[in-house]
Each structure stands twice: as C-alpha cells, then as structure tokens.
C-alpha cells in the first residue's frame, strides 16, 4: 500500500464549524486557534502541520511567505513545506509563555529580551510584528525562544500586545512578591478585561 504524502494526508482532515471532525491516523491534534488547527505527525522526523479552516485556507500562502522572509533565524520555527491550506513546520518541544504562567515556570528578563530580538529582526525584514501574545511565544526544552503564528505580521496597524505584555511584566511580574503561577481561569479573565480596555496598562 502506497504511503500518503503530507499534502494527501491534509486532504483527509475535515472541519465542521471549525471543529475537527476527521483526521488521518498519522495526525494527532495539539492545538487550535482562530484560523487553523495544528497537528503533530511522527515519521522520519517530528513535524507540526498547520491546517487552516476552509474559509481561511488562503492564509497558508500568506504565512508561508512571511516565514520565508524570517527563515534561518533562531527565534522562528523552520518552514519545511507548504501548500493549499497548510504549512509543515518543525515540531517545537516546549511550553508557551501562557503555560509558564499556569505551571509557575519563571519568565526571565533574558527570555523577554529574546522576544524583543525576534520582533526587531522581523521589523528589519520589512514586517510589522502583530498578535504576539502569551500563546504565540514558546520556551523550548533547550531554553530558547520561538515566536509562532506570524500570519498577521504584514498588517499595517500597530499592535500593542507585546509592548503591553512587557509593561505588565516589568510593572508587576518582576516584583519580588508578585505571584508567578496563576489558574487558567484567572489568566482568561485578565485577557478578557485587557481586550475590553479595562486594565490600567
């Protein structure tokens, strides 16, 4: 029996109202966002497959073009393949900054500096870093930083997300007695209040 390639496996993914209804046995779901779902596939090497919902499939080529501008930079994942409605990336072993807040892993100033370096590199490549939030920054097992989900890096509007996160980091998180671990429900409440402009940041 012929082994399917990635493009053929992607065709077996089915969504209903942005809910995953069918995936090939080679895939396992590891996350979902506003425009796509991400799967892990294990073969010769561990890969992450980002499959866009049908109404957002055109974003695959847009995001691939952005990753190609950022290729070979240590703070962005490697783009391995792309096609209609999907991206194939290196699989990143690690946790997001969101996870760090949930499990109490300290977010250090050097980690914040690495994110700054990553975003400044994108600006130097003519991009406009946007939508950089807690779930789009990964702390890898070797204590490196990876910025993911760069599809909005070409928008013209200035995005305050990262600058506001940094402001909160240095104003509150860095305080000696400020908690380093939070329940997900509390974090989601803070995010909701932030989006409604009800926080003093």
């Amino acid at each position: 029996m012929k082994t399917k390639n990635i493009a053929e496996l992607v065709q077996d993914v089915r969504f209903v109202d942005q809910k995953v209804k069918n995936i090939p046995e080679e895939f396992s779901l590891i996350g979902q966002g506003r425009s796509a779902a991400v799967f892990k596939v294990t073969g010769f090497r561990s890969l992450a497959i980002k499959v866009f919902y049908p109404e957002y499939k055109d974003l695959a080529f847009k995001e691939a073009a952005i990753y190609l501008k950022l290729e070979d930079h240590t703070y962005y994942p490697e783009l391995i393949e792309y096609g209609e409605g999907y991206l194939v990336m290196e699989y990143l072993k690690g946790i997001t900054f969101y996870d760090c807040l949930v499990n109490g892993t300290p977010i250090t100033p050097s980690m914040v500096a690495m994110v700054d370096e990553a975003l400044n590199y994108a600006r130097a490549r003519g991009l406009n870093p946007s939508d950089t939030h807690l779930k789009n920054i990964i702390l890898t097992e070797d204590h490196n930083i990876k910025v993911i989900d760069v599809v909005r890096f070409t928008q013209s509007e200035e995005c305050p997300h990262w600058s506001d996160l940094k402001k909160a980091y240095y104003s509150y998180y860095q305080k000696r007695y400020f908690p380093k671990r939070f329940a997900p429900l509390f974090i989601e409440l803070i995010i909701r209040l932030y989006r409604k402009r009800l926080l003093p940041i």
Side-chain angles (χ1 to χ4, degrees):
M1 181 177 175
K2 178 180 178 290
T3 302
K4 291 184 176 181
N5 60 34
I6 294 295
E8 291 170 327
L9 290 172
V10 167
Q11 296 304 312
D12 292 335
V13 177
R14 296 285 182 272
F15 298 108
V16 176
D17 296 328
Q18 298 186 0
K19 294 180 180 178
V20 179
K21 291 299 181 181
N22 184 74
I23 61 174
E25 61 181 15
E26 294 88 347
F27 284 14
S28 57
L29 180 66
I30 56 176
Q32 283 191 255
R34 287 179 289 177
S35 58
V38 181
F39 306 90
K40 181 182 179 182
V41 57
T42 303
F44 177 71
R45 61 186 293 190
S46 290
L47 302 173
I49 315 296
K50 183 173 185 177
V51 183
F52 290 82
Y53 307 134
E55 62 268 39
Y56 294 110
K57 67 179 183 178
D58 291 345
L59 292 179
F61 292 110
K62 179 179 179 181
E63 187 163 21
I66 295 170
Y67 274 121
L68 290 173
K69 282 191 173 186
L70 300 169
E71 65 181 347
D72 299 326
H73 194 278
T74 185
Y75 296 142
Y76 294 95
E78 177 188 1
L79 175 66
I80 297 165
E81 178 187 330
Y82 60 94
E84 186 175 3
Y86 74 94
L87 305 176
V88 183
M89 320 286 295
E90 66 172 310
Y91 175 72
L92 302 173
K93 294 182 178 179
I95 59 175
T96 65
F97 272 19
Y98 185 101
D99 298 325
C100 289
L101 293 182
V102 171
N103 64 30
T105 299
I107 298 173
T108 66
S110 64
M111 290 158 60
V112 172
M114 283 190 277
V115 178
D116 276 336
E117 187 177 338
L119 301 186
N120 286 335
Y121 176 78
R123 293 185 185 98
R125 302 292 293 168
L127 298 168
N128 179 29
S130 304
D131 202 31
T132 304
H133 55 69
L134 295 172
K135 292 183 179 179
N136 286 349
I137 305 167
I138 294 179
L139 173 65
T140 65
E141 289 185 341
D142 58 358
H143 304 289
N144 197 2
I145 289 295
K146 296 285 186 179
V147 177
I148 62 170
D149 198 6
V150 299
V151 70
R152 293 174 181 81
F153 274 31
T154 57
Q155 70 178 34
S156 57
E157 298 86 359
E158 286 298 316
C159 177
H161 290 174
W162 176 243
S163 60
D164 286 343
L165 277 174
K166 274 205 313 181
K167 192 179 299 182
Y169 176 83
Y170 287 111
S171 297
Y172 304 105
Y173 184 91
Q174 278 282 77
K175 301 296 185 184
R176 182 177 178 183
Y177 297 108
F178 192 79
K180 300 299 183 284
R181 184 174 184 174
F182 302 90
L185 282 176
F186 178 79
I187 299 174
E188 292 299 328
L189 173 62
I190 294 299
I191 291 172
R192 188 167 299 180
L193 291 174
Y194 170 77
R195 288 174 178 167
K196 293 181 176 181
R197 305 290 186 185
L198 296 176
L199 291 178
I201 298 178

